[in-house]
Amino acid sequence: MTHTASTTVDLDQLLASAHDLALAGRWERALGLLDTADCADPDGRARLALAGAEVALLSDWFAGTDLTAARADRAEKEAPGAGWDLGFIRLRHDYRRQLLRAGVFHPGPEGKDPEALAGIRRSAHALRDSAPDEVRRGWASMYLGLVVENLFAERAAAPAHYEDALRAGDAGDGDELLTREALRHLGDHAHDAGDHERAVECWERATALGARAGLVPGVLAQQLLLAVLARDAGDEAGARALAREVARWAEAIGADRLHAQTTGFLHGVDPTAVPEPETDA
């Protein structure tokens, strides 16, 4: 015999719990929690659907699933013209689809539809200019930087956008995850410029912020970058020890792309290096 039970919970608490589960890499559990919620209020149903699309995006990025498009469409149906937040989910989804091929990092415009790339860039600009608050504007600036750097190969133009994002994240009512994201990429630029001290400063602070937010796969990704710095400093034993633990954790939580990156690092591949352009054989 199957028994069912229902209870009343505060919607804000439920959404926060699903968010925390998703940050911790428990994407299926987060989606299950959201999907079992029954909300009579149309605004509540829209918030649940939007939260599901956010969780799906994290799952797609770290676990290689393909959930975001359907979840975003569901959110659109629950809240037609859902506005800025849904537009930002779609922007990140489109960015990811252009950046990764079969889960492999494939930056730059080569081999991609120029109009599709231009549309993503226009969306990023529009979201930045229409953001309803400074934190959202900072997130849009962050992704505008990622788009110009990773889809258009305009690397020198990106740090200014990351600095805008950092200022928004560090503001009084800012967002530590936004700060973490900006520091992650500013550290990458410092690393490439040979500024080891600045890279360490950015990446160590980003790691701590991710840990405080409970962003388990993000912290592991940052630990891999710290392993890169250890290798750069000549501490190969320390770099490999850290990377082995990152690989073990990434495999355990199903973060397949990160696990592949870390395994590559253990075989001598620099995960911060831009891949060589493809050539015809």
Side-chain angles (χ1 to χ4, degrees):
M1 180 181 294
T2 300
H3 297 277
T4 60
S6 63
T7 188
T8 300
V9 298
D10 181 80
L11 181 59
D12 288 337
Q13 289 295 323
L14 186 145
L15 293 174
S17 297
H19 176 70
D20 287 348
L21 284 169
L23 291 182
R26 304 299 187 187
W27 306 291
E28 289 185 18
R29 181 63 60 86
L31 289 173
L33 177 63
L34 293 169
D35 289 345
T36 58
D38 185 11
C39 186
D41 175 53
D43 181 65
R45 289 198 302 272
R47 293 176 66 194
L48 286 167
L50 192 65
E54 286 279 0
V55 173
L57 192 62
L58 282 173
S59 177
D60 287 359
W61 186 261
F62 287 110
T65 52
D66 187 17
L67 305 175
T68 304
R71 289 279 177 171
D73 288 345
R74 181 188 301 185
E76 185 73 52
K77 290 178 182 177
E78 291 290 353
W84 196 96
D85 292 322
L86 182 56
F88 188 50
I89 289 172
R90 293 195 185 279
L91 169 69
R92 287 175 285 163
H93 175 59
D94 291 342
Y95 167 76
R96 177 185 172 276
R97 290 180 62 195
Q98 292 292 338
L99 186 62
L100 299 178
R101 291 184 177 178
V104 177
F105 186 58
H106 187 84
E110 292 78 13
K112 301 172 185 177
D113 180 358
E115 183 51 39
L117 296 184
I120 293 172
R121 190 171 193 163
R122 286 194 298 270
S123 294
H125 275 287
L127 286 165
R128 185 193 62 182
D129 294 344
S130 65
D133 54 60
E134 189 60 23
V135 167
R136 286 184 175 96
R137 186 182 185 283
W139 273 112
S141 293
M142 183 71 230
Y143 269 82
L144 181 55
L146 293 173
V147 166
V148 299
E149 176 168 3
N150 291 327
L151 298 187
F152 286 88
E154 297 173 8
R155 187 165 172 80
H161 299 298
Y162 302 153
E163 292 286 0
D164 284 345
L166 181 62
R167 282 190 289 272
D170 274 342
D173 294 322
D175 183 336
E176 289 187 341
L177 285 175
L178 174 57
T179 296
R180 172 222 173 245
E181 192 71 18
L183 288 169
R184 176 174 169 82
H185 291 276
L186 288 169
D188 181 56
H189 281 260
H191 173 256
D192 280 4
D195 188 346
H196 182 82
E197 183 176 348
R198 174 61 173 159
V200 169
E201 176 188 343
C202 287
W203 284 349
E204 286 185 345
R205 186 180 175 213
T207 304
L209 290 171
R212 185 154 62 196
L215 183 61
V216 173
V219 170
L220 294 176
Q222 280 302 130
Q223 295 281 20
L224 177 57
L225 294 180
L226 295 179
V228 169
L229 292 179
R231 176 174 284 173
D232 289 349
D235 183 7
E236 182 64 20
R240 294 184 64 81
L242 180 54
R244 282 194 295 269
E245 288 307 307
V246 171
R248 195 190 325 274
W249 279 58
E251 184 177 31
I253 68 171
D256 296 338
R257 178 168 167 265
L258 177 58
H259 180 261
Q261 284 182 309
T262 310
T263 301
F265 176 83
L266 288 167
H267 287 90
V269 178
D270 180 359
T272 69
V274 177
E276 292 293 331
E278 294 180 359
T279 57
D280 296 329

